[in-house]
Amino acid sequence: MTMRSPNEGYELRALEGDAPAIQEHGRVLGELAETMVMTADRLIELGDSSLYRSQATDKLSTTAAEVEEDLRAASVRYDLTGDAVVTYGVALAQAQDCINPNVETIRTAEEEYQAARRALDDAEDERDGLRRVMPWEDEPTEAQTAAAALAVATASGELAGKEQTRNALWATYETAFGDWSEAYDAAVDGIEHAMDTAGNDDGFWEALDNFLDALGWVILVLSIVALIIGAPFTGLLAGILLGLSALVALGRLVQYAAGQATLADVALSLIALLPFGIGRVLSKGAPTLSAVMGGARGQIVSSIRSALPAMRFSTPFRNISTAWQWFRAPAAARAALPHPGVFTNPLTAMRLGGAQTAQVQTFVQTMRTSPYASTLAQLADDTARAMPTPWLQSANTNLWVGEFGYGVATTTGALSSFFGAEQVTVDDGPIR
């Protein structure tokens, strides 16, 4: 149960984070900034020195000044970021020392305070009940009245003590939590200030690239989910995946038009559309779960009702039974042929082209093992014949495996690394 402070509404919880590691990270950033400054100074010497110029390559001499400028901007960003991180690490350590050891103490104090309030309410209800004497009830004795008053006084004193303890603990918690929250906001502002001061933030294109990478992971995860979860969520997931995949492809096209991506990046982004483009073509003609379920249950309903005796005036009680069986025939059909379940075997779904087709296969087996198997035999056989052929199953498997392979490779950067796209160079711009 979530517990919040009475004044500020802060959630009662231990503060997470490795404060010493955060401070160390900030110090490392500061040391890295110093190293960048030293390297920048050395590059300037390299670019200005005729001795180095005669020994170094022409390319290095002409790009030394450009690289030096980027290094100095980066050093400013790292230095200011390091200061903000160290300051936050110190504040986090102080807040953790105050909050974390006392979380359970505060929780216990709050629970005891609430229990004391309930005890006082009960005592007051008991006292007030004695004062309300109904005509058929006896007047309370002086002993009962005195005992009720004493119980109220005792509960009131107990509540006052619990409330004082609880309020003191919460006040300390709110102060420490508020200081930590302010330190966190200050750290965020400090890092943003560092980027603004350095002026080396990649801005829109970096944000777009990060956004598309994040969408790549979402598509990858949802693709797996789409192979596990079938109807009634099949259409919803397919629509979401198609929309997200199209958005990624559009984003890569925008990057390509601005020179921020290669044609290979665009081509790879289109791979995610294949299971919902070619895959839909391959699955065309496969029976849908709703159609198969509706047809099978309809046959059972017809079979049950056709077997019922005709209603006659001479057999009123049998007429009631017949009417009851006629009306409950749909329920009997549903009981005999339950929904195959939302979750499916992802390997089966991959082979058959989707989770819904895997559900259909499961439902066919249900028809063949139901009490109405003989009635449904023809429908079960027709449905089984309409399922993807071995050739289509092989194509579906290759399509999904290829999509997952490309998705994992491109999302993790493995494919780019394989083609050498992430090698660091200084030929076309600043070091990244």
Side-chain angles (χ1 to χ4, degrees):
M1 176 181 176
T2 301
M3 193 173 286
R4 296 188 175 276
S5 63
N7 298 317
E8 301 296 336
Y10 296 143
E11 180 184 352
L12 178 63
R13 60 183 176 88
L15 295 181
E16 299 179 353
D18 189 339
I22 292 174
Q23 296 176 55
E24 179 61 24
H25 181 65
R27 284 192 289 269
V28 169
L29 289 176
E31 294 173 358
L32 183 58
E34 294 178 2
T35 303
M36 289 180 174
V37 172
M38 294 173 58
T39 304
D41 293 339
R42 189 61 176 168
L43 282 173
I44 287 296
E45 294 177 5
L46 180 63
D48 293 342
S49 172
S50 59
L51 174 62
Y52 282 129
R53 194 170 295 227
S54 63
Q55 294 179 351
T57 64
D58 292 338
K59 184 64 175 178
L60 182 58
S61 298
T62 56
T63 58
E66 298 176 2
V67 176
E68 177 267 343
E69 181 179 350
D70 291 321
L71 281 173
R72 291 197 188 280
S75 71
V76 171
R77 179 172 175 175
Y78 278 54
D79 185 48
L80 295 178
T81 300
D83 289 343
V85 171
V86 169
T87 301
Y88 171 71
V90 173
L92 175 62
Q94 294 174 346
Q96 286 178 328
D97 290 342
C98 181
I99 290 176
N100 291 7
N102 296 314
V103 167
E104 292 307 316
T105 302
I106 297 173
R107 188 182 303 279
T108 300
E110 177 66 25
E111 291 173 349
E112 291 179 349
Y113 164 74
Q114 296 296 339
R117 285 187 59 180
R118 291 191 295 271
L120 177 59
D121 291 340
D122 292 342
E124 290 177 340
D125 289 343
E126 181 70 19
R127 179 199 60 191
D128 296 341
L130 292 176
R131 294 174 178 174
R132 294 188 295 270
V133 180
M134 297 300 172
W136 59 85
E137 294 179 332
D138 296 332
E139 290 288 336
T141 64
E142 292 184 2
Q144 289 176 321
T145 303
L150 178 60
V152 170
T154 302
S156 179
E158 184 73 15
L159 175 61
K162 298 296 184 182
E163 185 175 18
Q164 183 178 7
T165 301
R166 170 251 198 188
N167 288 347
L169 289 170
W170 272 124
T172 302
Y173 178 86
E174 288 184 327
T175 299
F177 196 96
D179 290 344
W180 166 79
S181 181
E182 291 177 0
Y184 180 85
D185 292 339
V188 173
D189 292 340
I191 293 173
E192 292 178 352
H193 174 68
M195 291 188 293
D196 294 339
T197 303
N200 64 343
D201 187 24
D202 289 336
F204 171 78
W205 296 113
E206 181 182 23
L208 177 60
D209 193 63
N210 292 337
F211 173 70
L212 294 179
D213 287 343
L215 280 187
W217 281 111
V218 173
I219 291 171
L220 195 61
V221 172
L222 287 183
S223 296
I224 298 174
V225 172
L227 290 175
I228 299 175
I229 299 181
F233 305 101
T234 309
L236 176 63
L237 277 174
I240 292 174
L241 279 166
L242 182 60
L244 292 179
S245 300
L247 181 60
V248 170
L250 178 62
R252 296 304 182 195
L253 282 171
V254 171
Q255 288 182 315
Y256 176 73
Q260 299 292 324
T262 66
L263 193 59
D265 294 328
V266 176
L268 292 176
S269 68
L270 297 175
I271 296 293
L273 292 170
L274 293 182
F276 311 103
I278 298 177
R280 184 167 296 177
V281 174
L282 293 177
S283 300
K284 190 174 183 180
T288 62
L289 179 63
S290 59
V292 177
M293 288 179 61
R297 289 175 176 176
Q299 286 191 16
I300 292 179
V301 170
S302 299
S303 175
I304 292 174
R305 289 175 174 174
S306 63
L308 293 175
M311 299 181 70
R312 302 179 185 277
F313 287 109
S314 60
T315 57
F317 292 106
R318 191 178 68 180
N319 289 347
I320 294 174
S321 175
T322 299
W324 169 248
Q325 294 181 58
W326 193 94
F327 279 114
R328 71 176 303 272
R334 287 193 297 271
L337 296 178
H339 190 282
V342 174
F343 298 99
T344 64
N345 185 326
L347 297 179
T348 303
M350 185 183 298
R351 177 169 51 84
L352 296 178
Q356 183 171 211
T357 316
Q359 288 176 305
V360 172
Q361 185 183 64
T362 302
F363 192 75
V364 169
Q365 184 61 28
T366 301
M367 285 193 289
R368 287 174 170 163
T369 57
S370 74
Y372 303 93
S374 58
T375 302
L376 302 172
Q378 185 62 47
L379 178 60
D381 292 341
D382 292 343
T383 304
R385 282 193 293 269
M387 298 291 280
T389 63
W391 181 89
L392 289 178
Q393 293 182 28
S394 176
N396 282 325
T397 301
N398 291 334
L399 192 62
W400 279 98
V401 170
E403 194 274 337
F404 282 133
Y406 276 115
V408 172
T410 54
T411 304
T412 60
L415 196 62
S416 298
S417 299
F418 178 79
F419 287 110
E422 293 182 348
Q423 293 178 357
V424 178
T425 66
V426 295
D427 294 340
D428 300 318
I431 294 176
R432 296 292 181 190

